Amino acid sequence: MGETKRIGILTSGGDCAGLNAVIRAVTHRAVATYNWEVLGICRATQGLMQNPPQAINLTLDKVDRILTMGGTMLGTTNKGDPFAFPMPDGTLCDRSADIADGYHQLGLDALIGIGGDGSLAILRKLAQQGGMKLVGIPKTIDNDVAITERSIGFDTAVNIATEALDRLHFTAASHDRVMILEVMGRDAGHIAISAGIAGGADVILIPEIPYTLNNVCHKIKQLQEQGRNFCLIVVSEAVRTASGEVLQSNVGFGECRLGGIGQYLAQEICNSIGAETRVTVLGHTQRGATPSPLDRLIASAFGVAAVDLIANEQYDRMVTWQYRQVVSVPIEETIKHYQAVNPNGTLVRTARGLGICLGD
Ligand SMILES: Nc1ncnc2c1ncn2[C@@H]1O[C@H](COP(=O)(O)OP(=O)(O)OP(=O)(O)O)[C@@H](O)[C@H]1O
Ligand SMILES: O=P(O)(O)OC[C@H]1O[C@](O)(CO)[C@@H](O)[C@@H]1O
Ligand SMILES: [Mg+2]
């Protein structure tokens, strides 16, 4: 066994199911196998920014009952780029040096950063600049982190969206309605295409495939002609309006909240063919849940592998799921690309093969 280490762990970006499972796995591997100390950093990089830095000592008993818990026991944030951090007086300030100070003040030998595309990009920049030894673990319901086939939280989100479709199916059929389900996913349509296929949707609209309202209305009418009295539509939050607009509310500091495309489509469909239409916006129910068995598994495998990378002094790498195993890749490689849905990939071809309308 190598020398004793003190490692930090933080969760960053939007929360998702499985974060506590990965905190548990990291703590278990580090404490029980290597006899290291684990500090859980509070509220992502914001905990390192404080003086003194905000962290809690993670012991086996502290993580014993958290495997099935949603959210993150450490807290997280998806706001406030540390290189342009919003200050109370309305100005933006570079707080990156404070974060490196926090890391060194805590006496950390390495840091495990659990985050999505945004967090991993920022953590890497911080690590390079501040002399921090970083290992990344991908998590995000959006599944938009490149190179890894799986990210913690995605499977649970797909389960929730699929269950919503299963429920909407019956009420739609009872009322002869068009039901629109608006799901999250940022600029990628992974949740929509996966849940749409699994939940038997008739129309799936994703940002990667431009659609026309005409095609959507044609599909609804075609179903009616075939004797189907209802239609299930899944739309991803970043899908554009007919005039090319992404619907969002601007809440300041460059932060934009996506939402509204479901309502927009409902109005347009009603105006165009008079179909009675209702909208369900799933929102944060996709994030706040008991993790699925698959997410618990991925989280556990990633947690153990991340600690082993540190034991082998392999830094600046992210654990990934590839071809049924966990391997690691340079973080630099994963943040170079955005992992959108492949418009010619298996899921899109599957949807087309099932007669699902993708709007094009
Ligand atoms: N390109 C970037 N460079 C540096 N920082 C970024 C960048 N993009 C986003 N950030 C910062 O990273 C943090 C999280 O970003 P984002 O909302 O994309 O979450 P994420 O880590 O991708 O997780 P998720 O998408 O699942 O919420 C925010 O604090 C944001 O300011
Ligand atoms: O929690 P917030 O700030 O509303 O963020 C919502 C966004 O975060 C995600 O849930 C994860 O990135 C996106 O799918 C969604 O657009
Ligand atoms: Mg992201």
Side-chain angles (χ1 to χ4, degrees):
M1 192 173 301
E3 66 188 71
T4 295
K5 289 187 193 295
R6 176 183 290 173
I7 65 168
I9 174 171
L10 60 79
T11 49
S12 176
D15 77 321
C16 63
L19 291 178
N20 286 317
V22 71
I23 294 167
R24 170 181 177 267
V26 164
T27 305
H28 203 281
R29 185 64 163 172
V31 173
T33 306
Y34 296 110
N35 203 20
W36 297 346
E37 219 183 313
V38 183
L39 296 185
I41 315 292
C42 305
R43 295 184 315 287
T45 47
Q46 291 190 17
L48 289 176
M49 236 181 236
Q50 311 288 307
N51 195 0
Q54 304 291 293
I56 53 171
N57 194 17
L58 292 176
T59 49
L60 292 179
D61 63 307
K62 285 216 181 84
V63 299
D64 188 32
R65 316 267 290 271
I66 65 171
L67 174 65
T68 60
M69 272 168 54
T72 161
M73 68 176 284
L74 298 176
T76 186
T77 180
N78 59 358
K79 291 190 214 31
D81 181 346
F83 293 95
F85 194 77
M87 302 301 283
D89 65 0
T91 57
L92 295 175
C93 176
D94 183 351
R95 303 280 314 267
S96 54
D98 296 333
I99 290 170
D101 278 354
Y103 171 95
H104 295 295
Q105 224 184 100
L106 289 174
L108 297 179
D109 295 300
L111 176 68
I112 295 180
I114 307 161
D117 58 330
S119 300
L120 289 166
I122 202 157
L123 285 170
R124 179 164 196 269
K125 198 167 155 192
L126 287 166
Q128 300 274 300
Q129 195 178 287
M132 297 160 31
K133 291 177 179 162
L134 177 68
V135 166
I137 298 182
K139 70 87 224 171
T140 175
I141 66 163
D142 303 336
N143 207 27
D144 53 2
V145 177
I147 305 185
T148 185
E149 285 156 21
R150 301 187 178 285
S151 288
I152 298 165
F154 174 65
D155 183 65
T156 306
V158 171
N159 287 353
I160 293 164
T162 305
E163 191 194 325
L165 282 172
D166 293 348
R167 289 167 187 259
L168 290 173
H169 186 131
F170 293 105
T171 171
S174 305
H175 284 266
D176 307 323
R177 281 174 176 162
V178 173
M179 284 290 182
I180 299 178
L181 180 69
E182 181 181 310
V183 297
M184 283 184 167
R186 275 281 148 185
D187 301 312
H190 295 289
I191 297 177
I193 190 96
S194 297
I197 293 171
D202 303 296
V203 179
I204 303 172
L205 302 179
I206 57 174
E208 295 85 348
I209 299 181
Y211 71 101
T212 68
L213 279 163
N214 249 348
N215 291 343
V216 174
C217 291
H218 176 73
K219 175 70 180 181
I220 298 168
K221 283 198 283 188
Q222 200 182 40
L223 288 172
Q224 285 167 351
E225 281 157 21
Q226 289 164 358
R228 260 282 290 285
N229 67 333
F230 71 95
C231 175
L232 289 183
I233 301 179
V234 187
V235 61
S236 195
E237 61 182 359
V239 165
R240 293 167 186 268
T241 64
S243 58
E245 204 190 339
V246 174
L247 295 178
Q248 58 191 356
S249 44
N250 200 328
V251 287
F253 288 118
E255 191 203 336
C256 282
R257 267 177 223 155
L258 297 170
I261 187 67
Q263 204 57 54
Y264 163 85
L265 283 173
Q267 197 59 56
E268 294 296 319
I269 289 168
C270 181
N271 292 347
S272 171
I273 54 171
E276 194 183 352
T277 307
R278 294 287 187 275
V279 183
T280 301
V281 181
L282 267 192
H284 293 79
T285 59
Q286 293 157 101
R287 296 217 314 237
T290 303
S292 67
L294 180 56
D295 270 332
R296 295 179 207 181
L297 223 131
I298 296 165
S300 302
F302 278 172
V304 168
V307 174
D308 288 348
L309 279 179
I310 297 174
N312 293 317
E313 305 277 340
Q314 286 191 273
Y315 301 114
D316 200 19
R317 299 184 74 79
M318 184 187 85
V319 293
T320 64
W321 197 284
Q322 284 175 5
Y323 302 109
R324 301 169 79 104
Q325 23 174 1
V326 178
V327 292
S328 74
V329 295
I331 299 177
E332 191 184 10
E333 291 303 313
T334 75
I335 58 180
K336 261 192 209 157
H337 314 283
Y338 185 70
Q339 189 65 59
V341 173
N342 178 356
N344 304 307
T346 298
L347 290 189
V348 169
R349 278 189 280 120
T350 302
R352 292 195 197 283
L354 290 168
I356 297 170
C357 167
L358 298 173
D360 57 346

